[in-house]
Amino acid sequence: MTTGLKEEQPLGRIVVITSGKGGVGKTTSAAAISAGLAQLGHKTVVIDFDVGLRNLDMIMGCERRVVFDFINVIQGDARLKQALIKDKRLDTLYILPTSQTRDKDALTKEGVEAVLNELKEEFDYIICDSPAGIERGAQLAMYFADEAVVVTNPEVSSVRDSDRVLGLLASKTKRAESSDEPVRATVLLTRHDQARIDQGEMMNVDDVLEILAVPLLGIIPESTAVLRASNVGTPVTLEEPSNAGRAYHDAVARLTGAEVEMRIGSERRPGLFQRLFGRTA
Amino acid sequence: MSLFGFAFKPRRARTAQTARDRLQLLLAHERLGSSSAPDFLPQLQNDLLEVIRKYVAVDDDGVEIVMQREDAMSSLEINIELPSESAPKGAAG
Ligand SMILES: Nc1ncnc2c1ncn2[C@@H]1O[C@H](COP(=O)(O)OP(=O)(O)OP(=O)(O)O)[C@@H](O)[C@H]1O
Ligand SMILES: [Mg+2]
């Protein structure tokens, strides 16, 4: 049961997955990234900060096993150990679900800090799945972060919100308020659709990066594999290989400091029809 | 779709059916209010600890509650870790 990981001090790195805008792929990314990290052998926990709208449990496929949640722990009704759900596929992966019944005021800064401090003693990576918006819930999810993954779609309102969030990361976090190094922020471009970019309908990667001016963690293509994975409750990185899965694996490697060449995977295999109709362009 | 359909026939099992089944199961429980189960579970856990402590010394961490929701019934599995006399405290687990 114990893996010997406890011998060394765990990394204890807190990573928030945030975006401002809703529905851009935060939960999908939090699940995929945490499973990817765990696959590499890093002891990882993923926390659902979206109080009242529990979803991470379904994406991770552990919805039937929720007994206690994050709020129970914060309010002292359960021990952290009892609320953590051990993933059935990976030894190194744990999920801390949120409450479906409470509201987001149940989270307190002190409570969140206590839980995160306890998790730091055990885990290499603590992935925080932020709720949408820039209100209290989102601010608490980012407050203690060492690192932030700003999930962005190549679309005006998403980029604008990402910019707001980058501003918050630089001002309203513990690192910003202390003299520590600032939160390390990167952009994860998701639902990237090369065909629509080629048609000039969608901004390309360079457009987005130029505007946001932070490093790129990865480019996740629009992919049917994401829906399939959510149907069965498996993070897309644990599903059979797909372009989205591969792109998340690359992003995970970069998160751990590896240098991986950026590639743009497209689920549509755009060459196909061109070949069928004999176009050589 | 029909022209090229054969080439794209899903080799995989239809995942939409799985999604539907998972949701039905989960929502049935949530609507019944059995999602509020966690509300009495902390109290249950404390009561159990209290009763058990009349007989043996157990850690606060020594009680583990595991729930598994299924179609026909749900089960609640309660594991109580009884400390062995010789084991140093906190070494279990
Ligand atoms: N790369 C992708 N390709 C196709 N669909 C995607 C992709 N990423 C996310 N989606 C879909 O987008 C929807 C929203 O994703 P998700 O729940 O991860 O977003 P979110 O940012 O967590 O939303 P919220 O703000 O509500 O928490 C889901 O239906 C998901 O399947
Ligand atoms: Mg979400």
Side-chain angles (χ1 to χ4, degrees), chain A residues 136-157:
Chain A
R136 196 181 142 76
Q139 290 198 18
L140 273 174
M142 71 170 67
Y143 189 77
F144 298 100
D146 299 307
E147 188 152 342
V149 174
V150 181
V151 179
T152 308
N153 296 162
E155 170 263 315
V156 286
S157 51

Side-chain angles (χ1 to χ4, degrees), chain A residues 58 63-64 79 82 231 233, chain B residues 15 22 38 60 63 69-70:
Chain A
M58 282 225 94
E63 73 278 3
R64 295 195 210 180
R79 295 305 186 98
Q82 296 169 327
N231 279 344
Chain B
T15 58
R22 292 173 65 214
D60 280 352
V63 177
R69 284 184 276 263
E70 297 297 342

Side-chain angles (χ1 to χ4, degrees), chain A residues 110-153:
Chain A
E110 296 68 32
V112 171
E113 182 169 31
V115 171
L116 290 176
N117 282 340
E118 207 176 328
L119 290 171
K120 275 181 163 187
E121 296 297 314
E122 282 279 332
F123 289 92
D124 295 317
Y125 286 95
I126 299 147
I127 308 294
C128 305
D129 179 20
S130 174
I134 51 169
E135 303 301 315
R136 196 181 142 76
Q139 290 198 18
L140 273 174
M142 71 170 67
Y143 189 77
F144 298 100
D146 299 307
E147 188 152 342
V149 174
V150 181
V151 179
T152 308
N153 296 162

Side-chain angles (χ1 to χ4, degrees), chain A residues 73-84:
Chain A
V73 177
I74 285 181
Q75 297 185 338
D77 292 332
R79 295 305 186 98
L80 180 56
K81 194 179 139 195
Q82 296 169 327
L84 286 175

Side-chain angles (χ1 to χ4, degrees), chain B residues 3-4 6 15 33 50 59 64 66 71 73 77 87:
Chain B
L3 182 58
F4 297 107
F6 67 93
T15 58
E50 229 168 85
D59 262 13
E64 189 191 12
V66 183
D71 294 297
M73 56 159 224
E77 186 187 317

Side-chain angles (χ1 to χ4, degrees), chain A residues 26-27 50 129-130:
Chain A
K26 290 181 294 298
T27 302
D50 205 347
D129 179 20
S130 174

